[in-house]
Amino acid sequence: MHVTMNFEQARYNMVEQQIRSSEPLREDMRELLHVVRREEFVPPAFRHLAFADVALPLGHGATMLTPRIDAAVVQALKPRKQENVLEIGTGSGYTAALLAVHANHVTSIEIVPELADSARANLHRAGLGNVTVETGDGFVVSRSVGAQFDVIMLSGGLAQIPAELLARLKVGGRLFAFLGEAPVQTARLVTGVGEGAYRGQGLFETCVAQLRNAPVGTEFTL
């Protein structure tokens, strides 16, 4: 017997039970998670797990962040309507979609061409015209994309934050990164507090897929 999944009920349960019960969730974040339809960004074979608190495989060694982590990321970064965002590691495009709803524009860079194509299709279907997905090595392409950004999101793990990427963060801007290697990484929020000055804050421990080609050295420890 074929059973049709009730996505709206599953979405409600995700937001109001598994996410809201684990951390304080702003009202605008709850609305955002209801508006951006996560199941539209999940590979078809895993749509029935779209709202489970698991990292779903996207192929090519990539995974989607869990709903709980995505909510924590966007809530910490607090993108605003006048702000421009740089994301390295597009994946399915879901995190970019969440950021784009509250931002002016999101530039997202994905190293795997197949994932970049899929993300573009997902974002187009979601009606989000303020996201540009670039194909290439994010740590190389980002050097030629724009000047500085209000928000920078590193959507996978890396050893340290490259100094030249920190230099792309505006004063008052926020950068989110997963630092370290499996099995434990630290989610860190970095704020630009002055020209060449940054403040880092550890938010929680987790484990996500590593970003490809991430540089290993930097003069900054945050």
Side-chain angles (χ1 to χ4, degrees), residues 14-16 19 23-36 67-79 94 98-99 102:
M14 175 191 76
V15 175
E16 301 299 334
I19 295 180
E23 61 180 288
L25 200 62
R26 298 194 312 265
E27 179 63 31
D28 62 328
M29 275 303 305
R30 294 202 298 275
E31 292 177 2
L32 178 63
L33 293 170
H34 282 292
V35 167
V36 182
R68 192 191 308 264
I69 291 177
D70 263 318
V73 166
V74 180
Q75 182 155 280
L77 286 172
K78 299 177 183 175
Y94 180 67
L98 292 175
L99 292 166
H102 287 169

Side-chain angles (χ1 to χ4, degrees), residues 1-197:
M1 179 179 177
H2 178 72
V3 178
T4 301
M5 182 174 178
N6 186 333
F7 284 111
E8 294 310 317
Q9 184 62 51
R11 191 186 336 277
Y12 178 86
N13 293 341
M14 175 191 76
V15 175
E16 301 299 334
Q17 295 178 16
Q18 73 182 40
I19 295 180
R20 192 178 181 185
S21 65
S22 66
E23 61 180 288
L25 200 62
R26 298 194 312 265
E27 179 63 31
D28 62 328
M29 275 303 305
R30 294 202 298 275
E31 292 177 2
L32 178 63
L33 293 170
H34 282 292
V35 167
V36 182
R37 303 173 64 83
R38 193 171 195 269
E39 70 273 19
E40 298 297 331
F41 291 83
V42 172
F46 299 104
R47 287 193 86 198
H48 63 292
L49 295 174
F51 304 105
D53 194 33
V54 294
L56 297 176
L58 297 172
H60 309 280
T63 59
M64 287 185 74
L65 298 176
T66 68
R68 192 191 308 264
I69 291 177
D70 263 318
V73 166
V74 180
Q75 182 155 280
L77 286 172
K78 299 177 183 175
R80 305 180 183 98
K81 281 298 183 183
Q82 73 275 18
E83 293 186 323
N84 294 318
V85 179
L86 171 66
E87 179 189 35
I88 295 180
T90 312
S92 71
Y94 180 67
T95 305
L98 292 175
L99 292 166
V101 170
H102 287 169
N104 175 53
H105 189 269
V106 176
T107 299
S108 187
I109 309 172
E110 173 55 55
I111 197 170
V112 179
E114 294 83 355
L115 292 180
D117 289 342
S118 177
R120 290 188 192 100
N122 292 340
L123 290 159
H124 177 75
R125 186 169 54 250
L128 291 165
N130 62 331
V131 184
T132 301
V133 178
E134 303 279 353
T135 303
D137 183 339
F139 296 99
V140 175
V141 177
S142 62
R143 298 171 193 165
S144 60
V145 177
Q148 287 186 307
F149 292 86
D150 304 284
V151 173
I152 298 177
M153 171 62 190
L154 300 169
S155 294
L158 70 167
Q160 293 176 304
I161 303 168
E164 61 184 19
L165 190 60
L166 279 173
R168 306 297 299 282
L169 188 65
K170 290 183 178 180
V171 175
R174 290 84 62 206
L175 179 150
F176 195 104
F178 301 98
L179 297 183
E181 297 180 353
V184 178
Q185 297 156 323
T186 300
R188 293 193 70 80
L189 180 68
V190 178
T191 303
V193 294
E195 291 296 336

